[in-house]
Amino acid sequence: MASASYSLLPEITDHKRYFFEKLGLSERLLERCLGEALSAGGEFADLYFEAVTSTSLGMDEGIVKTAAQGISVGCGIRVLSGERTGFAYTDDLSSDRLLKAARTAALIASGPQIERVQGFTETRTPQLYPVAGVSSDVEIAAKLKLIERADKAARDFDPRIVQVRASINDELRRILIAASDGTFASDTQPLARLNIFVIAKDEQNNTARGTSGGGGRVALDFFTGDKSPEHFAREAARTAILQLGAVAAPAGEMEVVLGPGWPGVLLHEAVGHGLEADFNRKKTSAFAGLIGQQVASSKVTVVDNGTMPGRRGSLNVDDEGNPTQETVLIENGILRGYLSDKLSSRLMKMPNTGSGRRESYQAIPMPRMTNTYMLNGEDQPEDILKSVKRGLYAVNFGGGSVDITNGKFVFTASEAYLIEDGKVTAPVKGATLIGNGPEALKYVSMVGNDLALDEGIGTCGKAGQSVPVGVGMPTVKLDRMTVGGTGR
């Protein structure tokens, strides 16, 4: 196919100015790259330019052990032909390298002997390296002060706190997307996260761990007031001290109450991934073919919302240049739709939900969650707890895993309590929640009116790619769930 010409909205905003004036791109070069990308007969092509500056500081045992600044720049070029995807990337933004990458992607997608095509990127893997001026000395000093305050607050919380690690990571990501369908979008995306990890030890040499942290697409002034380093440090220390006195979690099937906020990670893993369109297009999801059917209790409504100001999972545009949006996935227990990107939208003939995301310019986009949460119900949280004769109250979670094909999940509760005769009693340790996502939602009998989102710590993995996300939920009661533990 001959090279085509595309209208790419030549107005240069502040987002675009960086790429045009600092990195030497031009509208003509973008047109040439797209033309080359479609030269072997592809149906669609896009260019994803990315420039990231980052800073990381880490303190261990009161000493700054890590400090780094870096920059990464590159472009990923994708070509679609039916269900076939051709992709190439380069960290060299010269016209010769960009055009070569475009031709490579074109051949992978549309040329003969596709399976044998290898090594066409011919580029070295980008590496972070110190760059003077990424952050001013004043900003670096302010970040250092934040982790010093966190370290001190954790140690001051209780003498049984014997080890503290504190870190802060932030980045500024600039992106520019140009596509053969006329898409031309750009964005500048800040991201910051403060992390605290502590170890507590008692006189019997029992140890326990606690973690906390927060952030989002925010500036440093976020870490003031209610979201101060002291707040997160005390929360990590409190969790560790609590675990020192915890009893072994009971085992068996019982009523389970999930607390508001971060426990929404269970919803994210057990349900959210199964509602991403690519899994459903390939019919590998437990939710494949169930749109319009009852998949949860009528009390359950789940949405994915990428438009929430300052949230970790929010984006002005996704990584395909589409505005993000609020998407209702499950409404009163009925499955309403999936999260889609351009490829899934075209192949499944469904609306594009602006959910195309990628880890970096070295990766292809795919449908991903942004901020996923369950909406409020009408129950009072205290009434939910009072309704439980004997069960588990899971307030916070650590790690977990899910099998997308059948929805089965296993999650570890990092903070949980027994519920006895409607009252929250002893803290427990070693509790795991075991179940099936679609099945578990059918046992939701009460939903609180206290919806909360996580503090801004979520990172989601899929197919080797990690992206920042948000989760949330109100207090929720499940009438049946299997709890793993060593107690009675």
Side-chain angles (χ1 to χ4, degrees):
M1 177 182 291
S3 298
S5 178
Y6 306 96
S7 175
L8 295 177
L9 306 179
E11 178 184 356
I12 301 177
T13 65
D14 288 341
H15 298 315
K16 304 179 184 71
R17 193 179 305 279
Y18 181 87
F19 293 94
F20 280 75
E21 297 186 357
K22 298 292 186 181
L23 300 183
L25 300 183
S26 68
E27 183 182 357
R28 176 56 184 156
L29 177 58
L30 302 185
E31 292 174 347
R32 291 176 63 197
C33 288
L34 287 173
E36 287 292 343
L38 294 179
S39 62
E43 301 169 5
F44 170 85
D46 61 4
L47 315 174
Y48 177 85
F49 293 91
E50 178 186 70
V52 181
T53 56
S54 61
T55 304
S56 176
L57 296 171
M59 176 173 284
D60 190 354
E61 292 302 284
I63 301 172
V64 177
K65 294 288 184 71
T66 59
Q69 292 181 310
I71 184 169
S72 172
V73 178
C75 177
I77 302 178
R78 177 180 61 154
V79 179
L80 301 180
S81 180
E83 295 193 32
R84 183 181 297 159
T85 297
F87 182 73
Y89 67 85
T90 175
D91 62 354
D92 183 341
L93 299 188
S94 66
S95 59
D96 287 346
R97 285 297 185 94
L98 287 171
L99 291 168
K100 183 173 184 178
R103 287 191 291 269
T104 298
L107 291 173
I108 295 172
S110 305
Q113 297 180 325
I114 298 301
E115 295 82 1
R116 299 185 184 180
V117 176
Q118 296 182 28
F120 283 91
T121 57
E122 297 183 358
T123 185
R124 57 190 185 278
T125 301
Q127 298 180 4
L128 298 178
Y129 56 91
V131 179
V134 170
S135 292
S136 68
D137 291 342
V138 172
E139 290 171 326
I140 296 295
K143 294 170 188 176
L144 179 59
K145 184 66 175 178
L146 290 175
I147 58 175
E148 288 175 339
R149 287 166 54 190
D151 178 86
K152 182 178 186 303
R155 296 179 187 282
D156 289 348
F157 185 84
D158 192 289
R160 289 171 289 179
I161 300 296
V162 296
Q163 184 175 345
V164 180
R165 296 176 192 165
S167 64
I168 187 167
N169 302 278
D170 72 297
E171 68 177 32
L172 188 68
R173 182 184 303 266
R174 297 179 175 92
I175 63 171
L176 175 70
I177 304 113
S180 60
D181 63 0
T183 298
F184 188 48
S186 61
D187 198 14
T188 302
Q189 302 164 350
L191 190 67
R193 176 175 168 175
L194 181 69
N195 304 289
I196 313 295
F197 170 83
V198 306
I199 295 178
K201 181 184 291 187
D202 62 17
E203 295 179 352
Q204 290 74 42
N205 286 326
N206 297 311
T207 61
R209 300 180 177 186
T211 61
S212 185
R217 299 197 180 280
V218 295
L220 286 185
D221 59 7
F222 173 83
F223 300 105
T224 59
D226 294 341
K227 306 301 181 183
S228 67
E230 289 79 8
H231 161 75
F232 295 118
R234 288 191 290 264
E235 185 62 17
R238 181 194 66 81
T239 304
I241 296 299
L242 183 75
Q243 291 298 305
L244 287 177
V247 300
E253 190 174 85
M254 65 187 71
E255 294 176 303
V256 171
V257 176
L258 303 176
W262 180 245
V265 69
L266 188 149
L267 187 74
H268 168 104
E269 293 288 358
V271 178
H273 277 299
L275 298 180
E276 292 166 337
D278 51 349
F279 292 128
N280 290 277
R281 174 169 56 86
K282 299 171 185 177
K283 300 190 184 305
T284 57
S285 168
F287 292 98
L290 298 183
I291 288 181
Q293 297 186 32
Q294 191 91 22
V295 297
S297 160
S298 62
K299 294 180 176 289
V300 173
T301 296
V302 178
V303 303
D304 185 88
N305 188 353
T307 69
M308 308 176 77
R311 297 301 307 180
R312 182 171 169 86
S314 296
L315 296 165
N316 288 324
V317 295
D318 72 358
D319 293 328
E320 295 181 309
N322 302 298
T324 56
Q325 63 186 52
E326 180 177 355
T327 304
V328 177
L329 299 172
I330 299 173
E331 183 178 28
N332 298 326
I334 305 295
L335 181 59
R336 295 302 185 193
Y338 305 127
L339 295 173
S340 63
D341 60 354
K342 285 186 175 180
L343 177 61
S344 295
S345 175
R346 178 168 58 86
L347 294 177
M348 298 178 73
K349 295 179 171 55
M350 61 183 292
N352 186 340
T353 62
S355 304
R357 304 189 64 187
R358 62 178 96 200
E359 182 176 77
S360 74
Y361 71 87
Q362 300 178 47
I364 61 172
M366 52 188 165
R368 304 293 297 271
M369 287 171 276
T370 55
N371 304 296
T372 310
Y373 52 93
M374 185 186 299
L375 296 189
N376 269 334
E378 299 179 352
D379 298 302
Q380 297 293 331
E382 55 269 27
D383 291 337
I384 295 177
L385 293 168
K386 288 177 183 177
S387 72
V388 178
K389 178 68 174 177
R390 178 181 180 273
L392 187 78
Y393 180 34
V395 177
N396 215 338
F397 285 98
S401 62
V402 63
D403 185 335
I404 301 299
T405 61
N406 55 31
K408 292 182 179 179
F409 62 81
V410 178
F411 278 90
T412 302
S414 59
E415 181 180 355
Y417 303 83
L418 293 175
I419 308 175
E420 300 172 290
D421 295 323
K423 296 181 179 179
V424 177
T425 58
V428 300
K429 57 185 176 183
T432 58
L433 300 185
I434 305 165
N436 175 288
E439 190 69 20
L441 289 185
K442 295 179 181 179
Y443 293 111
V444 172
S445 61
M446 301 180 76
V447 178
N449 57 7
D450 58 341
L451 169 64
L453 299 175
D454 73 285
E455 295 276 21
I457 60 173
T459 298
C460 173
K462 175 181 175 180
Q465 295 190 44
S466 296
V467 296
V469 296
V471 301
M473 69 187 318
T475 300
V476 170
K477 176 185 175 183
L478 297 99
D479 287 339
R480 292 173 54 185
M481 181 171 282
T482 301
V483 176
T486 58
R488 294 182 178 179

